[in-house]
């Protein structure tokens, strides 16, 4: 994930959003302990329903207006982030 974040660090149109669905205290400790940057929010049943989330963790690629672009994008760990970077670049180029 660090490679992907580093690649897009100067792109204000790319936001890394992390949504937790339970155990808020453990989630907050993990953010602090691991130093995970980005926007962190607690999910709601409405979020799960809107994006058809049935299991956590779930990776989604959303567009600028919240539209679902890819329900199963490459994981940040795939090929050291190269697959996800390519997917994001494609999404940015076609918006």
């Amino acid at each position: 994930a660090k490679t992907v974040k580093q690649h897009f660090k100067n792109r204000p149109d790319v936001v890394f959003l992390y949504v937790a669905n339970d155990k808020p205290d453990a989630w907050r400790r993990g953010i602090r302990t691991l130093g995970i940057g980005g926007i962190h929010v607690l999910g709601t049943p409405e979020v799960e329903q809107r994006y058809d989330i049935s299991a956590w963790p779930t990776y989604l690629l959303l567009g600028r207006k919240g539209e679902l672009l890819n329900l199963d994008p490459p994981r940040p760990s795939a090929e050291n982030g190269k697959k996800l970077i390519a997917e994001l670049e494609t999404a940015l180029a076609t918006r």
Side-chain angles (χ1 to χ4, degrees):
K2 289 181 182 180
T3 302
V4 177
K5 286 183 180 179
Q6 183 67 25
H7 181 86
F8 292 104
K9 71 179 181 181
N10 295 319
R11 295 289 302 262
D13 52 347
V14 175
V15 176
F16 295 93
L17 174 67
Y18 300 89
V19 181
N21 69 327
D22 64 356
K23 301 179 185 175
D25 292 334
W27 168 66
R28 287 183 186 99
R29 276 193 307 276
I31 292 168
R32 284 191 305 274
T33 302
L34 299 172
I36 300 171
I39 299 170
H40 300 270
V41 297
L42 282 171
T44 64
E46 293 81 14
V47 170
E48 292 177 359
Q49 184 178 14
R50 178 175 181 179
Y51 297 110
D52 195 28
I53 298 171
S54 60
W56 296 87
T58 295
Y59 294 85
L60 305 172
L61 180 56
L62 303 176
R64 182 172 294 236
K65 296 178 183 173
E67 72 275 21
L68 183 60
L69 300 178
N70 189 336
L71 185 58
D72 190 28
R75 301 298 183 258
S77 58
E79 294 183 20
N80 197 28
K82 291 178 184 175
K83 285 187 173 192
L84 182 55
I85 289 169
E87 179 94 13
L88 289 167
E89 289 288 0
T90 299
L92 290 165
T94 59
R95 58 180 180 104

Short mmCIF file of all heavy atoms in Angstrom, two decimals, residues 48 50-54 57-62 67-75 87:
data_model
loop_
_atom_site.label_atom_id
_atom_site.label_comp_id
_atom_site.label_asym_id
_atom_site.label_seq_id
_atom_site.Cartn_x
_atom_site.Cartn_y
_atom_site.Cartn_z
N GLU A 48 -22.80 -0.49 3.63
CA GLU A 48 -22.71 -1.90 3.24
C GLU A 48 -23.75 -2.23 2.17
O GLU A 48 -23.46 -2.94 1.21
CB GLU A 48 -22.88 -2.80 4.46
CG GLU A 48 -21.72 -2.70 5.42
CD GLU A 48 -21.91 -3.54 6.68
OE1 GLU A 48 -22.96 -4.20 6.84
OE2 GLU A 48 -21.00 -3.52 7.51
N ARG A 50 -25.32 -0.05 0.07
CA ARG A 50 -25.09 0.70 -1.17
C ARG A 50 -24.05 0.03 -2.06
O ARG A 50 -24.19 -0.03 -3.27
CB ARG A 50 -24.65 2.13 -0.86
CG ARG A 50 -24.35 2.92 -2.11
CD ARG A 50 -24.02 4.35 -1.83
NE ARG A 50 -23.78 5.04 -3.08
CZ ARG A 50 -23.48 6.30 -3.16
NH1 ARG A 50 -23.40 7.04 -2.07
NH2 ARG A 50 -23.24 6.85 -4.32
N TYR A 51 -22.97 -0.47 -1.44
CA TYR A 51 -21.89 -1.07 -2.22
C TYR A 51 -21.90 -2.60 -2.16
O TYR A 51 -20.95 -3.24 -2.59
CB TYR A 51 -20.54 -0.50 -1.77
CG TYR A 51 -20.46 0.98 -2.02
CD1 TYR A 51 -20.49 1.89 -0.99
CD2 TYR A 51 -20.41 1.47 -3.32
CE1 TYR A 51 -20.43 3.26 -1.22
CE2 TYR A 51 -20.35 2.83 -3.57
CZ TYR A 51 -20.36 3.72 -2.52
OH TYR A 51 -20.31 5.07 -2.76
N ASP A 52 -22.98 -3.17 -1.63
CA ASP A 52 -23.15 -4.63 -1.58
C ASP A 52 -21.98 -5.31 -0.88
O ASP A 52 -21.43 -6.29 -1.37
CB ASP A 52 -23.35 -5.19 -2.99
CG ASP A 52 -23.90 -6.60 -2.97
OD1 ASP A 52 -24.60 -6.96 -1.99
OD2 ASP A 52 -23.61 -7.36 -3.91
N ILE A 53 -21.60 -4.78 0.26
CA ILE A 53 -20.49 -5.34 1.03
C ILE A 53 -21.05 -6.43 1.93
O ILE A 53 -21.95 -6.20 2.74
CB ILE A 53 -19.80 -4.25 1.88
CG1 ILE A 53 -19.20 -3.19 0.96
CG2 ILE A 53 -18.74 -4.87 2.78
CD1 ILE A 53 -18.69 -1.96 1.68
N SER A 54 -20.51 -7.63 1.77
CA SER A 54 -20.99 -8.75 2.58
C SER A 54 -19.89 -9.32 3.47
O SER A 54 -20.15 -10.20 4.29
CB SER A 54 -21.55 -9.84 1.68
OG SER A 54 -20.56 -10.30 0.80
N PRO A 57 -12.25 -7.69 5.24
CA PRO A 57 -12.09 -6.45 4.50
C PRO A 57 -12.60 -6.58 3.06
O PRO A 57 -12.62 -7.67 2.49
CB PRO A 57 -10.58 -6.21 4.50
CG PRO A 57 -9.98 -7.56 4.56
CD PRO A 57 -10.95 -8.39 5.39
N THR A 58 -13.02 -5.48 2.52
CA THR A 58 -13.47 -5.39 1.14
C THR A 58 -12.73 -4.25 0.48
O THR A 58 -12.56 -3.19 1.07
CB THR A 58 -14.99 -5.13 1.08
OG1 THR A 58 -15.66 -6.26 1.63
CG2 THR A 58 -15.47 -4.91 -0.33
N TYR A 59 -12.27 -4.48 -0.73
CA TYR A 59 -11.58 -3.44 -1.49
C TYR A 59 -12.51 -2.99 -2.61
O TYR A 59 -13.06 -3.82 -3.33
CB TYR A 59 -10.29 -3.98 -2.11
CG TYR A 59 -9.25 -4.36 -1.09
CD1 TYR A 59 -9.25 -5.61 -0.50
CD2 TYR A 59 -8.27 -3.46 -0.72
CE1 TYR A 59 -8.31 -5.96 0.45
CE2 TYR A 59 -7.31 -3.80 0.22
CZ TYR A 59 -7.34 -5.05 0.81
OH TYR A 59 -6.41 -5.38 1.74
N LEU A 60 -12.70 -1.69 -2.73
CA LEU A 60 -13.54 -1.13 -3.77
C LEU A 60 -12.80 0.02 -4.44
O LEU A 60 -12.01 0.70 -3.82
CB LEU A 60 -14.84 -0.56 -3.19
CG LEU A 60 -15.71 -1.46 -2.33
CD1 LEU A 60 -16.82 -0.65 -1.70
CD2 LEU A 60 -16.27 -2.58 -3.16
N LEU A 61 -13.10 0.23 -5.68
CA LEU A 61 -12.60 1.40 -6.39
C LEU A 61 -13.82 2.25 -6.72
O LEU A 61 -14.70 1.82 -7.46
CB LEU A 61 -11.86 0.99 -7.67
CG LEU A 61 -11.29 2.12 -8.51
CD1 LEU A 61 -10.36 3.01 -7.71
CD2 LEU A 61 -10.56 1.55 -9.71
N LEU A 62 -13.88 3.43 -6.10
CA LEU A 62 -15.01 4.33 -6.29
C LEU A 62 -14.58 5.54 -7.10
O LEU A 62 -13.45 6.00 -6.98
CB LEU A 62 -15.55 4.81 -4.94
CG LEU A 62 -15.98 3.72 -3.96
CD1 LEU A 62 -16.41 4.35 -2.64
CD2 LEU A 62 -17.10 2.89 -4.55
N GLU A 67 -19.55 6.61 -7.28
CA GLU A 67 -20.00 5.49 -8.11
C GLU A 67 -18.98 4.35 -8.05
O GLU A 67 -17.79 4.56 -7.97
CB GLU A 67 -20.24 5.94 -9.55
CG GLU A 67 -18.99 6.25 -10.35
CD GLU A 67 -18.45 7.67 -10.18
OE1 GLU A 67 -18.76 8.34 -9.19
OE2 GLU A 67 -17.67 8.09 -11.06
N LEU A 68 -19.50 3.14 -8.07
CA LEU A 68 -18.66 1.95 -8.01
C LEU A 68 -18.00 1.73 -9.37
O LEU A 68 -18.68 1.53 -10.36
CB LEU A 68 -19.52 0.74 -7.62
CG LEU A 68 -18.79 -0.58 -7.44
CD1 LEU A 68 -17.75 -0.47 -6.34
CD2 LEU A 68 -19.78 -1.67 -7.12
N LEU A 69 -16.67 1.77 -9.39
CA LEU A 69 -15.94 1.53 -10.63
C LEU A 69 -15.46 0.09 -10.73
O LEU A 69 -15.38 -0.47 -11.81
CB LEU A 69 -14.73 2.48 -10.73
CG LEU A 69 -15.03 3.97 -10.73
CD1 LEU A 69 -13.74 4.76 -10.77
CD2 LEU A 69 -15.94 4.33 -11.89
N ASN A 70 -15.11 -0.50 -9.59
CA ASN A 70 -14.64 -1.88 -9.60
C ASN A 70 -14.90 -2.48 -8.23
O ASN A 70 -14.43 -1.96 -7.22
CB ASN A 70 -13.14 -1.92 -9.94
CG ASN A 70 -12.64 -3.33 -10.17
OD1 ASN A 70 -13.22 -4.30 -9.69
ND2 ASN A 70 -11.55 -3.45 -10.90
N LEU A 71 -15.65 -3.57 -8.21
CA LEU A 71 -15.98 -4.25 -6.97
C LEU A 71 -14.85 -5.13 -6.47
O LEU A 71 -14.80 -5.50 -5.30
CB LEU A 71 -17.25 -5.09 -7.17
CG LEU A 71 -17.84 -5.78 -5.96
CD1 LEU A 71 -18.19 -4.77 -4.88
CD2 LEU A 71 -19.06 -6.59 -6.35
N ASP A 72 -13.89 -5.42 -7.32
CA ASP A 72 -12.78 -6.29 -6.93
C ASP A 72 -11.48 -5.80 -7.57
O ASP A 72 -10.90 -6.50 -8.42
CB ASP A 72 -13.08 -7.73 -7.33
CG ASP A 72 -12.09 -8.71 -6.74
OD1 ASP A 72 -11.53 -8.42 -5.67
OD2 ASP A 72 -11.87 -9.77 -7.36
N PRO A 73 -11.00 -4.61 -7.20
CA PRO A 73 -9.75 -4.11 -7.80
C PRO A 73 -8.55 -4.90 -7.29
O PRO A 73 -8.66 -5.62 -6.28
CB PRO A 73 -9.70 -2.65 -7.31
CG PRO A 73 -10.41 -2.67 -6.01
CD PRO A 73 -11.52 -3.69 -6.20
N PRO A 74 -7.42 -4.78 -7.95
CA PRO A 74 -6.22 -5.47 -7.47
C PRO A 74 -5.87 -5.02 -6.06
O PRO A 74 -6.07 -3.87 -5.68
CB PRO A 74 -5.13 -5.02 -8.46
CG PRO A 74 -5.87 -4.54 -9.66
CD PRO A 74 -7.17 -4.01 -9.16
N ARG A 75 -5.34 -5.92 -5.28
CA ARG A 75 -4.92 -5.60 -3.92
C ARG A 75 -3.64 -4.76 -3.97
O ARG A 75 -2.84 -4.91 -4.89
CB ARG A 75 -4.65 -6.87 -3.11
CG ARG A 75 -5.84 -7.80 -2.99
CD ARG A 75 -6.99 -7.11 -2.26
NE ARG A 75 -8.12 -7.97 -2.07
CZ ARG A 75 -9.23 -7.94 -2.79
NH1 ARG A 75 -9.35 -7.10 -3.79
NH2 ARG A 75 -10.24 -8.74 -2.54
N GLU A 87 -4.65 0.25 -12.49
CA GLU A 87 -6.11 0.35 -12.43
C GLU A 87 -6.55 1.78 -12.09
O GLU A 87 -7.47 2.33 -12.70
CB GLU A 87 -6.65 -0.63 -11.38
CG GLU A 87 -8.13 -0.59 -11.21
CD GLU A 87 -8.87 -1.61 -12.03
OE1 GLU A 87 -8.24 -2.54 -12.56
OE2 GLU A 87 -10.09 -1.47 -12.14
#
